[in-house]
Amino acid sequence: MVKKVFEQSKKFFLLSVEEKIKFAVKNQRGYTGLYHEKLDTSLNARGDSKEFFDVGPLAEDHLNQWPSEVMAAGMELVSLIALALNLDEDFFEKLGAFNEPMAFIGLLRYPGDVGSSREEIYGAAAHSDYGMITLLLTDGVPGLQVCREKFKQPQLWEDVPSISGAFIVNIGAMMERWTKSNCLFWSTQHRVMPSGQERYSVAFFLAPSKDCILECLESCCSESCPPRFPPIRSSDYLEERFRLAAMAAAESHRINI
């Protein structure tokens, strides 16, 4: 199935821009073109050198087909995280966090030729994923890097090796908010650097239900170690992160015209 996903992804991205924009993103599903997202909003550079197509669970609009097997893999990981936090393995399910999870599959293409420019170009600038966890498959082309200690300066970036048949697992920002006081689960700081080769990847982003409240778990905070963030609805948090990334890319594009 994985091979078929990559084949279909490449087939779509080979279409002309005119054909691809017929499937322009709507309700976080559909096509987003090159430089239309900027994951590191602090950079003066233009948006990220990637294009992608997001696929979400079936809804009333029936915009896509959805492989239910990937959700089972994600929920298995969520159970393991709960156990690591000394909670019941079904803790997040009992909390109602995944009654209607916000989950998306992203098909991503990074062009091999990004041209010449004085500014530094990123396939994906340094960032942490917005949701709870991410499962990532790559085509083996290098470029993905991770920073183990994101708050330490200067930052040290390491290449992530590609292992055939294995998923790369990222902890997302929502998981960090749940455990922020004791820093048990930091979100994974990563980026994609141009390698001179065309690169494809497939990412499964798992986030809790829209109305799930993100707040520090009782087991992860105390009077001497209080929560670092106020509670926030899952959907409100995601919408703000998406808005900031899109706004930063639009502003950079305006400056570079």
Side-chain angles (χ1 to χ4, degrees), residues 13-246:
F13 288 118
L14 281 172
L15 295 173
S16 67
V17 173
E18 292 74 20
E19 284 297 312
K20 287 183 286 192
I21 60 175
K22 292 179 181 179
F23 304 94
V25 66
K26 176 183 178 183
N27 297 327
Q28 303 304 327
R29 302 185 188 97
Y31 175 71
T32 300
L34 289 168
Y35 310 115
H36 284 203
E37 183 180 56
K38 186 177 180 180
L39 292 171
D40 186 346
T41 58
S42 68
L43 294 176
N44 291 323
R46 58 180 173 173
D48 296 336
S49 176
K50 70 175 186 293
E51 56 181 334
F52 55 98
F53 189 95
D54 282 335
V55 181
L58 286 176
E60 292 181 1
D61 47 27
H62 298 290
L63 286 174
N64 51 243
Q65 298 182 29
W66 179 251
S68 58
E69 296 85 355
V70 72
M71 180 60 70
M75 292 309 299
E76 183 67 25
L77 274 175
V78 168
S79 296
L80 293 175
I81 289 173
L83 291 174
L85 291 168
N86 294 318
L87 301 168
D88 293 338
E89 63 178 345
D90 60 350
F91 171 82
F92 291 104
E93 293 177 77
K94 290 190 292 187
L95 190 66
F98 296 99
N99 290 342
E100 294 183 11
M102 293 188 291
F104 297 91
I105 292 175
L107 308 177
L108 300 102
R109 173 187 172 268
Y110 302 87
D113 182 10
V114 294
S116 59
S117 174
R118 292 182 179 178
E119 65 182 11
E120 189 164 13
I121 297 175
Y122 296 91
H127 69 286
S128 296
D129 294 335
Y130 306 154
M132 186 175 180
I133 58 171
T134 303
L135 300 178
L136 180 70
L137 286 170
T138 75
D139 62 356
V141 174
L144 179 62
Q145 297 182 330
V146 64
C147 178
R148 295 176 186 266
E149 299 183 67
K150 60 183 179 179
F151 297 116
K152 187 176 180 180
Q153 295 295 333
Q155 290 184 329
L156 177 64
W157 291 94
E158 304 173 54
D159 292 326
V160 178
S162 176
I163 301 175
S164 180
F167 284 95
I168 296 166
V169 180
N170 287 336
I171 296 295
M174 288 187 176
M175 193 68 248
E176 183 173 311
R177 292 182 75 98
W178 258 321
T179 63
K180 186 61 175 177
S181 286
N182 62 10
C183 304
L184 187 58
F185 282 97
W186 288 111
S187 58
T188 310
Q189 184 86 339
H190 57 287
R191 67 185 185 185
V192 177
M193 300 298 292
S195 65
Q197 303 177 67
E198 187 177 45
R199 182 177 184 275
Y200 289 85
S201 63
V202 180
F204 172 61
F205 304 101
L206 179 60
S209 304
K210 292 181 179 180
D211 292 327
C212 179
I213 302 299
L214 301 173
E215 57 183 335
C216 190
L217 300 170
E218 290 184 8
S219 61
C220 296
C221 59
S222 64
E223 289 186 9
S224 61
C225 192
R228 301 188 185 185
F229 297 111
I232 187 172
R233 288 175 70 242
S234 176
S235 59
D236 291 340
Y237 179 77
L238 277 183
E239 287 171 7
E240 179 64 6
R241 294 291 300 266
F242 286 134
R243 185 187 70 81
L244 290 174

